[in-house]
Amino acid sequence: MAKTDHLARAHAFLERADMAGERLENSQVGIAVFDDRVPRRLDCNFLRVDAEADPETVQSEAERLGRRMIHVPDSEIGEQLVPHFRSKGWLVRRHVLMAQLRDPERDADVSVVSEVGEPSLRAARHRVVTGQPWAKPEIMAELFAGKELIGQRVRARYFAVVLDDQVVSYTDLYQDGADAQIEDVGTLQEYRKRGYATAVVLAAIAAARAEGAEFVFLVADLEDWPKELYRRLGFDELGYFVKFIAPHA
């Protein structure tokens, strides 16, 4: 399968799982996604730009529709919009889509990994994001609620390394038949560089493959180091997308 086909497959999965909403509204620049159950969760409340458009028009459409995040799947279109939104004070985020298309170059002891319930990860998730401007109790509550909504759309499973009754490393697995996504990998600061992130990711992938997954992908920050770890676990870059987040979102 060509890289463009893999990229389209990953985007399609995001649209029906992690980035799905409860209703859509047409816009002259694309589609607006809404989920009034979790209005602070930007990944299901955004304006998706589907074609080249004037930056001022894109911004005015986002404001008209009350969308504080703009998602541009096509990186070339996204980059054309970057200068405008950066000048207006919007945050620019680039996220790379990667798929496991070859065998991992490194191994880990997956026997330390357990499958757990989502609520058991929440304390660790809180600690991992401490200090982030969006890590406020009301937003975190909606992010957790959003995970429950994802589990209603596709199968959601959770894997963790638990030491002394404490989750120290974790990841989510979302699966719909032959397609699966690894999401939200995190490790407590004091437990990093011990191979736990590698272990939870490989354990989740093995669980997905055992359930028939043929295509396993993830989303990583294009400008941060974790994508280097994922390369060593057999993931190759398919392409990237651009997000713009309004000031104070």
Side-chain angles (χ1 to χ4, degrees):
M1 182 178 289
K3 182 180 289 189
T4 53
D5 294 329
H6 287 307
L7 183 61
R9 190 170 182 175
H11 276 298
F13 188 92
L14 290 175
E15 288 178 13
R16 67 181 187 269
D18 193 27
M19 298 188 72
E22 62 176 347
R23 60 188 175 91
L24 306 175
E25 185 173 331
N26 288 326
S27 161
Q28 61 179 300
V29 299
I31 297 288
V33 179
F34 296 79
D35 199 323
D36 297 328
R37 298 166 294 184
V38 285
R40 293 183 179 89
R41 185 178 187 268
L42 296 181
D43 277 343
C44 50
N45 290 279
F46 59 91
L47 173 64
R48 190 182 75 222
V49 176
D50 292 329
E52 290 188 22
D54 174 71
E56 293 284 357
T57 301
V58 173
Q59 183 175 347
S60 65
E61 277 293 273
E63 292 170 350
R64 178 182 70 82
L65 293 160
R67 304 298 80 192
R68 297 187 63 80
M69 188 176 87
I70 298 169
H71 170 54
V72 191
D74 187 304
S75 59
E76 292 186 7
I77 295 174
E79 293 297 346
Q80 292 171 12
L81 298 172
V82 166
H84 169 84
F85 283 98
R86 183 168 281 156
S87 72
K88 299 296 182 180
W90 289 55
L91 295 177
V92 178
R93 294 288 183 264
R94 297 175 176 88
H95 297 281
V96 61
L97 289 155
M98 306 178 73
Q100 192 188 46
L101 304 177
R102 50 190 169 79
D103 292 335
E105 299 168 14
R106 58 185 298 182
D107 202 355
D109 179 11
V110 297
S111 69
V112 300
V113 181
S114 304
E115 184 168 356
V116 299
E118 191 279 323
S120 68
L121 303 185
R122 295 182 181 183
R125 294 196 207 270
H126 270 292
R127 287 183 59 185
V128 166
V129 301
T130 295
Q132 295 289 345
W134 47 265
K136 302 173 183 177
E138 63 274 18
I139 296 178
M140 293 299 293
E142 291 199 11
L143 295 181
F144 296 149
K147 292 186 180 297
E148 294 179 6
L149 296 175
I150 293 168
Q152 295 171 14
R153 302 174 190 129
V154 296
R155 186 180 184 190
R157 301 168 69 184
Y158 306 92
F159 297 84
V161 174
V162 182
L163 300 177
D164 298 325
D165 298 321
Q166 175 184 233
V167 170
V168 302
S169 187
Y170 58 83
T171 193
D172 302 352
L173 169 64
Y174 307 145
Q175 186 164 359
D176 185 16
D179 297 338
Q181 178 188 2
I182 304 296
E183 171 63 4
D184 199 8
V185 181
T187 302
L188 300 184
Q189 180 69 38
E190 61 269 34
Y191 290 93
R192 293 176 183 172
K193 298 184 179 180
R194 301 187 188 183
Y196 292 149
T198 296
V200 294
V201 170
L202 291 178
I205 293 170
R209 300 290 189 193
E211 293 294 322
E214 300 170 355
F215 177 70
V216 179
F217 79 99
L218 53 78
V219 180
D221 189 328
L222 182 63
E223 297 159 335
D224 205 356
W225 65 266
K227 67 180 186 296
E228 304 304 328
L229 166 65
Y230 302 136
R231 285 197 184 104
R232 293 194 292 272
L233 299 184
F235 286 84
D236 292 329
E237 295 186 18
L238 305 176
Y240 72 95
F241 58 86
V242 184
K243 290 181 179 178
F244 303 102
I245 301 172
H248 313 302

